[in-house]
């Protein structure tokens, strides 16, 4: 049975822009730690109504109305969306939640709002489909084969060769992604990827060519089929064979942007995306870009916030504008750099100490944010037993004139931060 949408309350109806401000429906606001900046920036220009799985808490200052609904129930989601549409004149619908790209597109279409076709969002969510579209349109990518069983994966490696990457077909956040260098590693790697591959959309895994080179992402804005690359994000990864992202830097003057922008735009076009914000991941192999995947949403790990700190471009607001069918403002207003580093423990265990040198933090203006995710006493679990959701203790963000200065400052700040775990026995 569809859930009955909750009715508006005076407590939730506290945030209004000027009369006539467009009203945007946000589907799944995400968690406060990583996504509150998105809702805050959209609410600065739009009135916001919210479809959420739990009663709003931190979201309340940014919304005028909401409905609590099972976000994974398409019938309930449409009913809740229609109830909100009956109370408000909605201009568009947007989500920055990877798991709700397809439902949000379906909902927007059902409400008669601008949206990419549902099948386009499905292609973005399914890495096997995306790879086939990249190949069809001549976008440089990785050789890839789909496998439902260990036997099929073994046959795929005979074609792909070693090293290879085993990953879930429809997941995100580098969860379940692992590199293998020889056949003996395949059974455990297949089990690791399969364990993370319990998506409703596709439970298969992919066996892919390993792309050897630095990983970057290109933050793109697409309007009426024209894609503009606004920033390139350089990534840091944790130890092999896993692909956990440990940090990111964005530099408004990064010369790599001009080189990767055409490939990112070609990938977006190959998938059929006409409007929206995209986070396009690739690796530089022998100095040339090769596609990993296109995420039809704002990048995670505070990347949109880094883009704003470095360039002044407001990607959440751009996403809302595009959802309403408007031309977004993506004019840069500053030229500097910003970086984030995730705080991982040296070993899995119970978090026994987390702190930053307070005098340093108080007198260091370029240290823009220190955010703890776990508290003392919480378990921290690294791969292969854990993933980014269980392994991170927190993160910190710095700014600087360029990438070199940002990396130096990230290292300086690291020496002032302590994360200690006691290994559980």
């Amino acid at each position: 049975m569809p859930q009955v949408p909750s009715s508006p309350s005076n407590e939730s109806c506290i945030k209004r822009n000027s009369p006539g401000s467009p009203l945007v429906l946000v589907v799944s606001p995400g968690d406060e730690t990583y996504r509150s900046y998105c809702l805050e920036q959209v609410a600065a220009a739009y009135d916001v109504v919210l479809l959420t799985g739990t009663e709003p808490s931190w979201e309340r200052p940014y919304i005028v109305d909401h409905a609590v609904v099972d976000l994974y129930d398409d019938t309930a989601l449409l009913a809740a969306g229609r109830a909100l549409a009956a109370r408000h004149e909605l201009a568009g619908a947007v989500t920055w939640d990877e798991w709700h790209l397809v439902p949000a597109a379906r909902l927007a279409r059902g409400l008669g709002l601008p949206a990419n076709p549902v099948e386009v969002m499905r292609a973005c969510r399914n890495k096997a489909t995306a790879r086939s579209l990249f190949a069809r349109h001549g976008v440089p990518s990785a050789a890839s084969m789909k496998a439902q069983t260990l036997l099929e994966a073994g046959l795929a490696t005979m074609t792909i060769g070693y090293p290879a990457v085993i990953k879930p077909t429809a997941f995100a956040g580098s969860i379940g992604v692992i590199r293998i260098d020889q056949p003996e590693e395949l059974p455990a790697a297949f089990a690791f990827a399969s364990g993370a591959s319990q998506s409703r959309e596709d439970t298969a895994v992919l066996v892919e060519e390993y792309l050897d080179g630095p990983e970057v992402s290109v933050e793109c804005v697409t309007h009426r089929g024209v894609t503009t690359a606004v920033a390139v994000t350089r990534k840091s990864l944790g130890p092999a064979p896993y692909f956990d992202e440990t940090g990111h830097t964005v530099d408004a003057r990064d010369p790599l942007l001009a080189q990767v922008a055409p490939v990112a735009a070609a990938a977006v076009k190959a998938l059929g995306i006409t409007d929206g914000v995209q986070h396009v991941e690739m690796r530089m192999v022998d100095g040339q870009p090769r596609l990993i995947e296109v995420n039809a949403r704002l990048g995670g790990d505070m990347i949109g916030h880094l883009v704003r700190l470095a360039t002044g471009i407001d990607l959440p607001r751009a996403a809302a504008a595009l959802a309403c069918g408007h031309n977004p403002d993506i004019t840069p207003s500053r030229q500097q750099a910003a970086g984030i580093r995730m705080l991982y423990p040296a070993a899995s265990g119970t978090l026994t100490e987390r702190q930053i040198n307070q005098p340093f933090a108080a007198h260091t203006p370029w240290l823009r944010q220190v955010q703890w995710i776990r508290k003392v006493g919480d378990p921290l679990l690294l791969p292969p037993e854990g993933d980014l959701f269980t392994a991170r203790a927190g993160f910190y963000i710095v700014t600087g004139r360029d990438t070199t200065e940002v990396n130096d400052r990230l290292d300086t700040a690291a020496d002032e931060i302590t994360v200690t775990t006691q290994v559980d026995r």
Side-chain angles (χ1 to χ4, degrees):
M1 291 287 293
Q3 293 184 15
V4 177
S6 59
S7 57
S9 66
N10 291 332
E11 186 180 2
S12 67
C13 300
I14 60 177
K15 194 283 169 194
R16 282 284 186 186
N17 284 298
S18 59
S21 294
L23 207 146
V24 174
L25 173 63
V26 172
V27 180
S28 182
D31 76 311
E32 181 179 11
T33 300
Y34 287 109
R35 289 304 198 186
S36 60
Y37 81 92
C38 297
L39 194 61
E40 179 181 0
Q41 289 172 213
V42 170
Y46 295 86
D47 288 339
V48 175
V49 295
L50 195 65
L51 280 174
T52 177
T54 58
E55 194 64 33
S57 54
W58 63 268
E59 303 97 332
R60 287 188 179 276
Y62 309 116
I63 63 177
V64 301
D65 199 357
H66 73 277
V68 177
V69 67
D70 182 353
L71 296 171
Y72 295 94
D73 183 330
D74 289 342
T75 302
L77 193 65
L78 181 58
R82 284 175 172 163
L84 286 172
R87 300 199 291 264
H88 306 280
E89 186 176 350
L90 302 179
V94 66
T95 188
W96 36 80
D97 190 325
E98 176 73 22
W99 317 114
H100 296 101
L101 289 172
V102 174
R106 186 182 295 114
L107 173 64
R109 291 272 167 156
L111 297 178
L113 301 173
N116 289 289
V118 174
E119 57 268 23
V120 169
M121 291 297 99
R122 284 201 189 101
C124 294
R125 285 286 301 129
N126 191 295
K127 295 175 175 62
T129 303
R131 284 273 188 254
S132 65
L133 289 170
F134 296 155
R136 184 185 309 168
H137 292 273
V139 180
S141 182
S144 178
M145 297 180 71
K146 196 171 179 178
Q148 292 279 3
T149 66
L150 178 59
L151 176 59
E152 289 178 356
L155 293 173
T157 60
M158 295 174 66
T159 300
I160 300 293
Y162 291 92
V165 175
I166 316 296
K167 64 171 64 171
T169 299
F171 223 70
S174 299
I175 296 172
V177 184
I178 186 169
R179 168 181 164 168
I180 58 173
D181 295 306
Q182 53 193 3
E184 292 78 10
E185 298 169 350
L186 179 59
F190 183 82
F192 178 72
S194 298
S197 190
Q198 304 308 310
S199 165
R200 298 184 182 189
E201 296 153 287
D202 197 327
T203 59
V205 304
L206 293 182
V207 179
E208 294 193 341
E209 169 192 11
Y210 173 66
L211 301 178
D212 190 5
E215 184 169 337
V216 303
S217 64
V218 188
E219 318 315 324
C220 297
V221 176
T222 301
H223 180 52
R224 296 180 180 175
V226 177
T227 296
T228 302
V230 301
V232 59
T233 304
R234 296 183 182 251
K235 299 179 178 294
S236 300
L237 301 179
Y242 311 105
F243 291 81
D244 287 345
E245 295 176 352
T246 59
H248 313 272
T249 59
V250 177
D251 190 331
R253 300 185 182 90
D254 197 324
L256 187 60
L257 181 60
Q259 181 182 359
V260 298
V263 177
V268 171
K269 183 177 181 180
L271 288 167
I273 299 171
T274 57
D275 292 275
V277 171
Q278 300 84 40
H279 172 69
V280 183
E281 298 180 343
M282 58 182 70
R283 281 199 170 205
M284 304 301 295
V285 181
D286 297 327
Q288 299 301 313
R290 300 272 298 278
L291 252 294
I292 298 175
E293 63 190 40
V294 173
N295 300 281
R297 54 163 173 80
L298 281 152
D301 282 357
M302 304 293 289
I303 287 174
H305 184 53
L306 298 184
V307 169
R308 192 181 190 195
L309 290 173
T311 71
I313 296 172
D314 189 329
L315 288 178
R317 189 181 296 192
L322 291 160
C324 296
H326 301 158
N327 190 12
D329 181 3
I330 52 173
T331 305
S333 60
R334 61 176 70 103
Q335 288 192 325
Q336 56 183 29
I340 185 171
R341 185 168 292 177
M342 307 302 166
L343 294 168
Y344 287 88
S348 295
T350 300
L351 182 61
T352 56
E353 184 182 15
R354 52 154 231 194
Q355 66 175 1
I356 182 169
N357 180 336
Q358 290 299 328
F360 170 80
H363 297 92
T364 307
W366 47 259
L367 180 62
R368 304 298 290 264
Q369 182 178 354
V370 178
Q371 178 69 53
W372 297 110
I373 301 172
R374 302 293 178 214
K375 61 182 183 295
V376 170
D378 285 347
L380 294 178
L381 198 61
L382 296 166
E385 292 79 18
D387 53 41
L388 66 88
F389 296 113
T390 64
R392 293 173 174 176
F395 63 80
Y396 60 98
I397 293 173
V398 309
T399 53
R401 289 168 296 183
D402 53 31
T403 301
T404 299
E405 185 169 67
V406 162
N407 282 329
D408 287 344
R409 287 177 170 179
L410 287 168
D411 290 341
T412 297
D415 292 336
E416 306 294 335
I417 298 174
T418 301
V419 174
T420 307
T421 55
Q422 177 178 315
V423 178
D424 300 324
R425 299 187 183 281

